[in-house]
Amino acid sequence: MEYELNKPQTYALHIENELLEVTKKKLQLARYPEEQSDVGDDDWSQGAKVKEVKRLAEYWANGYDWRAEEVDNARINQEFNQFKVRVDIPGYGPQILHYAHEISTRPDALPLLFVQGWPGSFLEARKIIEPLTNPPDSATQAFHVIVPSIPGFGPGDPPIKSGFGPFLTARGFKVLMVDVLGYKRFVTQGGDWGSMITRSMAMQYPQHVRACHHNFFPCGPPPWYKAPFTWGRLILSPYLYSNHEMGSIKNMQYYQKEQNGYLKVQSTRPQSLGFGLGDSPVGLLGWLVEKFHEWMDVAHYRMPDDEVLTFVMMHWMQGATPGLRYYKMAFREQGEASTVKSFTRYLGTPVGLSHFPSEIAMPPYDWVAWVANEQFRREHKTGGHFAAVECPELLVQDLRDWFSSKSVHGAMRGN
């Protein structure tokens, strides 16, 4: 289909029957590794559990109904008003963007850009759109919610040229918000890559991005010679840190020691990995299920089987590689365009944070103070990396409370 510049066209998500049929055949022909006899059923230290992946793969082949997710019973294509549009991204060129746009009936609604990460998709927003656009009463903040797909994630057209990482994604989403949709001032929510993309947007376009919210904030401590008290507090952390802060340090240490192997591969040789994950549905399932298990607060939320497989389908439909390659492009960014290194630079845009105990990157408040104008933080007792999926009601309340604050409304007015 041909798309005109900056002119959205309605879109309905559809996967061809041929891919669905091939997927079922591949699932039926899959080979599985053997667990070692001394590794317990709840021990995920070697990766995804064979028993769990096999159970899900068998359900995928024999019970899961993608068509029901796609069109039936008021699901994806009924839940999301979807569009595609061609935009011209400064420093890159033309790119097709996919997005969902839900408009509130409230005249005082704030435009809210919600950006997901990997291995998520725009579907991460499906539990929060309705309460955000249609709050229970007039005293509760309402939002127009815009949920773009990162190019190459789900139905987002993958970039055809290299170099397309978070920095250029931020530019593309600015064009979407300002030039296509006409929102001259708006607020953002980001987790995982979405946190980096929206932070980059605020750095590049502070006149448009008036306040940010994050549930993922991967910054380190400031240099010791600039912040001796912060380092003294870190050294004495068992005595001076709160329980949430101690939990954050433990999560980050565990991630660095046990969980970031995927990061090394995807940021160096994603295409080699893509031959396996893009061709084997069981391979991709195992790769993603382990992330869902390790990064979620599984003591309080376990994804239903249909939810797991629908999330996996969002990367299977693209052959997995575009989502993997995004890491390579992110870590190639240099200088002011380096989104990964942007968390070492201060941003004056008002920032709100939600801290969920199983999140892998939410540092102590005095680390954040060196790089962000943090004005809101709420600590929760449950939840993890996929807050909009695991505990949507908590995230929704935080967004309402933060973005209805005097600070944010002042920033939206330009004060």
Side-chain angles (χ1 to χ4, degrees), residues 92 94-95 157-162:
Y92 184 78
Q95 174 65 40
D157 291 40
I160 61 173
K161 296 186 297 182
S162 65

Side-chain angles (χ1 to χ4, degrees), residues 84-96:
K84 284 194 173 184
V85 64
R86 183 167 67 90
V87 298
D88 188 34
I89 300 175
Y92 184 78
Q95 174 65 40
I96 305 297

Side-chain angles (χ1 to χ4, degrees), residues 22-32 57 61 280-282:
V22 168
T23 301
K24 181 171 288 191
K25 292 178 182 178
K26 287 176 176 288
L27 289 165
Q28 293 168 342
L29 296 171
R31 293 195 305 169
Y32 296 89
S280 168
V282 167

Side-chain angles (χ1 to χ4, degrees), residues 30-39 46 48-51 54:
R31 293 195 305 169
Y32 296 89
E34 295 290 336
E35 294 273 13
Q36 293 181 313
S37 60
D38 58 341
V39 178
Q46 294 191 17
K49 301 301 292 182
V50 175
K51 182 179 180 180
K54 189 173 184 179

Side-chain angles (χ1 to χ4, degrees), residues 370-388:
W370 281 87
V371 294
N373 180 16
E374 181 185 352
Q375 298 187 21
F376 173 95
R377 178 181 292 216
R378 183 163 290 156
E379 298 175 343
H380 295 284
K381 295 180 180 179
T382 62
H385 189 64
F386 301 90

